[in-house]
């Protein structure tokens, strides 16, 4: 029996297509020398012809992120282009969304959206659960193409999305060419549900930047900030997207929500929160590998040990913040879902969520959700290879660090140390 090749584990030497190798070797003609917040905003305003920005967070976090990108991220010439395009895309979408909300005040007059929000740590089954819940025909989720371009293009009318879908398909193809292993580590389809953290990116206050680049000073600053205004803007964007395409309730998902669960409770008081759990011995190396592959797109020499230390600390912080927020809000609707239960009996897990949510789940919706959870997966061309030793981590270290978390939520060991 043949064995599928594995994803690369030489994280300090990321894969590069030949054209990108040559571009970087030539010094990256046309790549930005650095990042300046005011200049990026001016360029986005010129591109869109729009100037007004809402009072949601933007310039201070953007300025701090630019400083970290310039001084810490060690971006390759091509990586500088990738990050410039990412920031420009966010600013362009922010200008267009703010303009749409101003021109249509009825958007923000809508009731607050009904939300199912998945807030588990990375690699605990959040994507599988999200795609299962989103299979309910009544649910509203955020497909990847819409996450990349939530604001309609100037030539698209209300309810039109053909240009954005085309861009989403092209972006997926480009990613597969630039970083073929990433599609194995974190499969992305242009029309499949994506993390709504990409909407929080519009405020420049999310974990995305620290996932795709090494920016510890920005991350440290972000951890000290009140994220309520960012979540208030997220609520406004969700209303806008419902105005463009209705749905009965949102299915949202991001590990970022675990870190900021207190803000989630404040802004979405009626939301049903789903916290997913899995043995951290099964998740931490996978998480570190995911982040190393992501940072390898923009940095020629990512440091896997530093990445692992950062996300180990971050995961412990996220788990602690979520527990603290739950203890301070005992009356909120929170459901604990365990990875092994979701795999062995998805129908029971999904029914448990809807029961807590207090809304009926139709037989059609339940069947669709179970089918999505149990859908046979095609055999991947590669398997995701990773090991604790790749990142200087040990089983004892992880068990000790997460001992309180595992005890609090009765998380069982999936494998011995």
């Amino acid at each position: 029996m043949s064995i599928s090749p594995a994803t690369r584990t030489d994280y300090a030497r990321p894969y590069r297509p030949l054209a990108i190798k040559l571009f970087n070797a030539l010094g990256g003609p046309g790549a930005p020398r650095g990042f300046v917040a005011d200049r990026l905003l001016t360029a986005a305003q010129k591109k869109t012809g729009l100037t007004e920005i809402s009072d949601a967070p933007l310039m201070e976090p953007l300025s701090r992120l630019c400083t970290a990108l310039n001084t810490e991220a060690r971006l390759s010439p091509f990586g500088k282009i990738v990050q410039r395009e990412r920031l420009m895309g966010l600013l362009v979408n922010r200008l267009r969304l703010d303009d749409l909300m101003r021109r249509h005040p009825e958007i923000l007059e809508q009731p607050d959206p009904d939300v199912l929000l998945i807030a588990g740590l990375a690699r605990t089954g959040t994507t599988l659960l999200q795609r299962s819940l989103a299979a309910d025909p009544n649910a509203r989720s955020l497909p990847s193409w819409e996450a990349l371009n939530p604001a309609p293009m100037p030539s698209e009318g209300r309810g039109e999305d053909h240009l954005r879908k085309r861009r989403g398909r092209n972006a997926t193809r480009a990613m597969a060419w630039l970083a073929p292993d990433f599609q194995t580590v974190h499969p992305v389809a242009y029309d499949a549900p994506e993390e709504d953290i990409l909407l929080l990116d519009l405020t420049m206050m999310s974990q995305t930047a620290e996932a795709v680049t090494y920016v510890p000073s920005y991350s440290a600053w972000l951890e000290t900030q009140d994220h309520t205004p960012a979540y208030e803007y997220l609520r406004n964007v969700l209303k806008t997207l419902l105005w463009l395409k209705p749905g009965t309730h949102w299915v949202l998902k991001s590990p970022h929500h675990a870190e900021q669960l207190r803000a989630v409770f404040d802004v979405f008081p009626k939301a049903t929160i789903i916290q997913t759990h899995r043995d951290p011995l099964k998740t931490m190396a996978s998480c570190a590998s995911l982040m190393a592959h992501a940072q390898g797109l923009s940095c020629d020499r990512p440091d896997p040990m530093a990445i692992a230390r950062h996300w180990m600390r971050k995961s412990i912080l996220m788990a602690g913040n979520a527990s603290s927020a739950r203890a301070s809000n005992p009356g909120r609707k929170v459901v604990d879902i365990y990875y092994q239960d979701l795999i062995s009996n998805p129908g029971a897990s999904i029914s448990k969520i809807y029961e807590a949510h207090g809304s009926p789940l139709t037989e059609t919706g339940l069947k669709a959700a179970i089918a999505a959870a149990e859908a046979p997966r095609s055999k991947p061309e590669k398997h995701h290879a990773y090991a604790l030793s790749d990142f200087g981590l040990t089983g004892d270290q992880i068990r000790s660090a997460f001992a309180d978390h595992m005890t609090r939520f009765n998380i069982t060991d999936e494998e011995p140390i």
Side-chain angles (χ1 to χ4, degrees), residues 247-264:
T248 61
H249 62 275
W250 276 103
V251 176
L252 305 180
K253 183 270 279 195
S254 176
H256 175 90
H257 299 317
E259 183 181 359
Q260 304 302 334
L261 197 54
R262 198 176 299 273
V264 172

Side-chain angles (χ1 to χ4, degrees), residues 1 35 125 202 218 235 244 258 261 267 270 276 297 308 311 317 352 366 368 372 390 408:
M1 185 175 73
F35 299 88
L202 296 162
Y218 167 78
R235 181 182 59 199
L244 292 168
L261 197 54
V267 178
K270 297 182 180 179
T276 51
L297 183 65
W311 284 99
L317 173 70
K352 180 180 177 181
L366 179 60
D390 295 336
R408 181 178 295 113

Side-chain angles (χ1 to χ4, degrees), residues 47 85 89 92-93 96 144-146 148-149 151 153-156 161-174 190:
K47 182 175 182 178
E85 291 305 304
V92 164
N93 274 294
R96 288 175 176 164
S144 184
W145 64 262
E146 190 175 38
L148 292 174
N149 287 287
M153 299 296 177
S155 59
E156 289 179 331
D161 50 31
H162 55 286
L163 293 177
R164 289 177 291 156
K165 284 183 176 178
R166 184 188 308 163
R167 290 196 175 194
R169 282 192 293 266
N170 291 340
T172 301
R173 293 179 185 133
Y190 86 96

Side-chain angles (χ1 to χ4, degrees), residues 15-33:
Y15 166 81
R16 292 283 181 270
L18 179 59
I20 304 304
K21 287 182 180 179
L22 293 173
F23 179 83
N24 286 339
L26 293 171
R33 294 185 177 181

Side-chain angles (χ1 to χ4, degrees), residues 175-190:
M175 178 62 76
W177 177 71
L178 289 168
D181 280 358
F182 193 81
Q183 188 68 4
T184 299
V185 177
H186 183 66
V188 175
Y190 86 96

Side-chain angles (χ1 to χ4, degrees), residues 33-35 63-76 80 83 209-210 212-222 295 298-303 306-307 310:
R33 294 185 177 181
F35 299 88
S63 296
R64 289 181 178 272
L65 176 55
C66 286
T67 297
L69 289 172
N70 292 334
T71 60
E72 298 171 339
R74 296 172 299 175
L75 300 176
S76 66
K80 291 179 181 179
Q83 295 308 313
E210 61 190 296
V212 301
T213 54
Y214 187 68
V215 285
S217 65
Y218 167 78
S219 174
W221 173 81
L222 203 59
Q295 293 188 24
S298 296
C299 176
D300 282 341
R301 290 291 184 268
D303 183 344
I307 291 170
H310 178 86

